[in-house]
Amino acid sequence: MSARVLNVIRNDDGQFEITDQRGKVVEGPFDTNAAAWSALDRIDHETMPGRPRSNKKVLWGKPEKPAKRNGKKAGRRQAAKDEHRMKANAAKAPGWVRSVAAAKFDPAGERKFRDYKLGTFGAATEVKRIDPATYLAEKAARGE
């Protein structure tokens, strides 16, 4: 099998052509360089052995799936599946992740914890007034 060398060149009219190594026009003329190169790719794929390649445009990202007929029922089923998957994944999470998530999503528990941390002290607690002279007299009486 001999390999053909093909080139894209610009002719005198400003259009693009595909030529072989002897300068003979294989295909063309094309208005744009891009059109000439896509034709060259098509020729390469036709002559190359291997799997056939489609000429479809590439869709970037995920293509949208067509809508199903029974949308309401399928939507409910999908929501139930998603709910189950979330619960299963939450159960598999490490302990520290679960404790952080519990604190974030359990405001009553967070409040209880905060109150427990504060103890009996808070903004409403009366402040005990200490007279320095009385305090020093009591300290001297104890012998400290």
Side-chain angles (χ1 to χ4, degrees), residues 47-115:
T47 58
M48 255 176 38
R51 69 178 176 85
R53 287 161 180 85
S54 67
N55 231 5
K56 279 197 243 174
K57 287 188 176 181
V58 176
L59 295 174
W60 297 104
K62 289 186 178 179
E64 291 181 20
K65 292 181 181 177
K68 293 184 179 176
R69 287 179 188 226
N70 54 355
K72 217 175 200 181
K73 195 174 184 183
R76 251 186 271 126
R77 194 178 311 123
Q78 186 63 37
K81 276 185 181 177
D82 288 345
E83 183 77 21
H84 178 73
R85 192 178 313 118
M86 281 198 316
K87 285 181 181 175
N89 288 342
K92 289 180 200 166
W96 66 269
V97 173
R98 285 198 304 260
S99 65
V100 168
K104 284 220 186 298
F105 300 119
D106 182 18
E110 192 176 348
R111 198 174 310 114
K112 184 177 173 188
F113 175 71
R114 187 183 60 220
D115 293 347

Side-chain angles (χ1 to χ4, degrees), residues 131-144:
D131 183 28
T134 312
Y135 171 73
L136 290 174
E138 287 175 0
K139 191 175 176 186
R142 281 193 306 249
E144 293 178 8

